[in-house]
Amino acid sequence: MTSLLEAAKALLKRGSDDVGPRLAGLEAATNAARGRLDDALVDDAAAVVERAAGRLKLSADHTVVAIAGATGSGKSSMFNALVGLDIAAVGVRRPTTSWASACVWGSDGADEVLDWLEIPHRHRVVRDSMLDGARADRKLEGVVLLDLPDHDSTEVSHHLEVDRLVRLADLMIWVLDPQKYADAAIHDRYLAPFASHRNVIVLVLNHIDTVPESRRDAMLADIHRLLDQDGLTGVPVFAVSARDGTGIAELKREVTGRVAAKHAARTRMVADLRAAAERLEAASGQSDAQALPRGRVATLESAFAEAAGVPTVVAAVTESTRVRANRATGWPVTSWLSRLRPDPLRRLHLDLGAAGKHLTGRSRTSVPEATQVERARVDTEVRALADEASAGMSRAWANAVRRASTSRLDDLGDRLDAALGRTDLGVARIPVWAGAVRLLQWLLVLTAIGGGVWLVVLAVMGYLQVPQPDTPRWQGWPVPTLMLLGGVAAGLLLALVCRLLVRLTARSRGRTAHARLTGAISEVARELVIDPVEAELAAYRDLRAGLDRALK
Ligand SMILES: Nc1nc2c(ncn2[C@@H]2O[C@H](COP(=O)(O)OP(=O)(O)O)[C@@H](O)[C@H]2O)c(=O)[nH]1
Ligand SMILES: [Mg+2]
């Protein structure tokens, strides 16, 4: 039960608090909508994303406050004064490490932030764990206070660390001391370069207890003058003593003010994100993306196949196989007659194979181009597919789907023709059995001719009254007569039987060619229509997922 409650709480918290996922969601949705929804709308959402991302810096739930300054200016003392405990070592240079110390008020998600800032565990303090909740300063909830390494340290890594943290900070407290506040090196090297960050900088003149009251105003005026020269006009300056506590309350108020401003900005940011996401949703529709229905794809492919002339080619394959195999297996004496008829595949320029096409230099087959009716059917099927795929989407998105579905249809004719031309129809050779039959047929013809010649010789010898040798007999029949009649009869019979086989073979080759052609045509359909439509559906899915995250 408890774990269930915990889970529910965690969910609720996510639902109301996490700006990061909302921002990421809106960004994904914006990218997906680019080019598909109205440009002005998408630009608007992108601007919200950019603004929010810039404002977020590190974490919307934390306000990062960094204390920077020269060695001995009192950073560590200031850190301790703000924390209210002696945590940072005072009066110590840190030559051995370049790491900042950190204190976090409220522990929610603090570790993540500190990990991100790469603050080692031993330098972390969580304020709530040291005091009971009632005493902890509620207004400082979410503050991450960093005691930066000395900026005037000679080690390069220290500079890198300072630069990195300063860029991430929501507020930078720059500590000066009365001795060195006018030091040109500090102003030129450290303050002036941060002019563009001036709305996140406050200046602290520490050690104010060591300055006689009478001189304090003049010193502050001098600092303001120097800041003007640095391009840091308007940056607040606090006169503080970390030792006796002068001005610490004001400084704390400044910090809590920044925290409140950040909370307000965050609330406004969430509202902006939601509003932009809602506008995108209104323009794109709320339904889930559909998968492309298989049936639709199949009818589209069959429309493509018809437009490409697949039935014509398949018929030609069947017919051509029939003609060629019949010619091979038919009775040789009559089968030459069939040569007078042109081969149907040759008519379509489809039997040449790649090498032949190269030789003839033809780039197109002569399969007739799609008729208007066939072409119209393709268009209808494409539209039906786009309509079905975009069901439930807004009109704008449905238009994007439809645009995509027709975007590549211009070269449909050429692409289909090329697919036909490339396909191996499997008709280059006559079947092996037909070759064997052809051999047999010729043997039979030779037998018949042999018998015929023999008979003619006998007849001539009879006519010339030349004494004839005994003609061999078989079952009472003279062998030459048997050879002539048997050869002719067997040839004719064989041809007849083969016609049946040829018809079966032709049909099977037709089926093979049909399968191969449909395969090639499916590829064209996928590339020209299905893929572009699916890209739109994928973008819609991305958009929906992004909006769900942004609006959850
Ligand atoms: N009189 C006086 N001494 C201070 C003040 N703040 C810091 N110090 C001293 O200045 C020295 C350096 O302070 P520290 O906080 O270590 O400076 P850091 O090097 O910038 O971290 C220490 O001896 C502190 O006690 C202050 O406001 N007044
Ligand atoms: Mg220090």
Side-chain angles (χ1 to χ4, degrees), residues 79-80 83-88 102-107 123-137:
F79 181 87
N80 290 344
V83 173
L85 291 170
D86 287 342
I87 293 166
C103 175
V104 180
W105 277 263
S107 53
H123 294 299
R124 300 179 185 180
V125 180
V126 176
R127 197 62 171 85
D128 266 359
S129 67
M130 303 184 64
L131 290 177
D132 62 56
R135 277 188 57 205
D137 195 341

Side-chain angles (χ1 to χ4, degrees), residues 69-78 89-94 147-148 150 175 206-210 240-244:
T71 313
S73 57
K75 297 183 297 299
S76 299
S77 307
M78 192 73 57
V90 169
V92 179
R93 285 200 58 175
R94 278 175 287 159
D147 175 15
L148 295 187
D150 305 327
V175 184
N206 193 27
H207 294 259
I208 199 69
D209 55 308
T210 63
V240 166
S241 166
R243 175 162 295 175
D244 69 13

Side-chain angles (χ1 to χ4, degrees), residues 357-543:
K357 215 156 272 172
H358 190 66
L359 286 178
T360 53
R362 293 182 68 93
S363 61
R364 279 190 70 96
T365 69
S366 299
V367 179
E369 291 209 14
T371 62
Q372 284 203 327
V373 175
E374 287 164 345
R375 182 58 216 228
R377 192 179 152 220
V378 166
D379 291 339
T380 311
E381 286 300 335
V382 169
R383 192 168 318 123
L385 182 100
D387 286 350
E388 207 157 308
S390 59
M393 296 176 182
S394 70
R395 179 190 295 240
W397 207 285
N399 281 343
V401 173
R402 188 175 288 186
R403 261 199 314 278
S405 72
T406 56
S407 61
R408 299 191 201 162
L409 276 189
D410 285 347
D411 24 331
L412 177 66
D414 288 346
R415 294 297 310 277
L416 290 178
D417 195 66
L420 288 198
R422 256 199 329 273
T423 306
D424 172 13
L425 296 172
V427 289
R429 303 173 146 272
I430 58 163
V432 178
W433 66 265
V437 169
R438 169 159 43 200
L439 198 70
L440 189 59
Q441 283 287 22
W442 280 107
L443 284 178
L444 290 174
V445 168
L446 286 180
T447 309
I449 291 174
V453 170
W454 193 341
L455 286 178
V456 169
V457 169
L458 287 180
V460 171
M461 285 169 86
Y463 180 72
L464 296 178
Q465 304 286 314
V466 178
Q468 297 178 15
D470 266 355
T471 313
R473 288 173 181 270
W474 186 76
Q475 303 268 327
W477 285 80
V479 170
T481 317
L482 271 183
M483 280 170 67
L484 176 62
L485 295 183
V488 171
L492 288 174
L493 196 68
L494 186 60
L496 213 65
V497 171
C498 283
R499 285 199 157 245
L500 197 71
L501 273 178
V502 165
R503 193 171 312 154
L504 291 178
T505 307
R507 231 180 270 160
S508 130
R509 287 205 165 178
R511 271 196 300 275
T512 307
H514 183 263
R516 290 183 186 175
L517 288 168
T518 349
I521 298 300
S522 299
E523 263 171 47
V524 177
R526 172 148 285 283
E527 203 189 318
L528 296 189
V529 179
I530 312 281
D531 282 351
V533 168
E534 272 182 348
E536 296 307 296
L537 295 186
Y540 184 78
R541 235 169 266 131
D542 289 349
L543 170 104

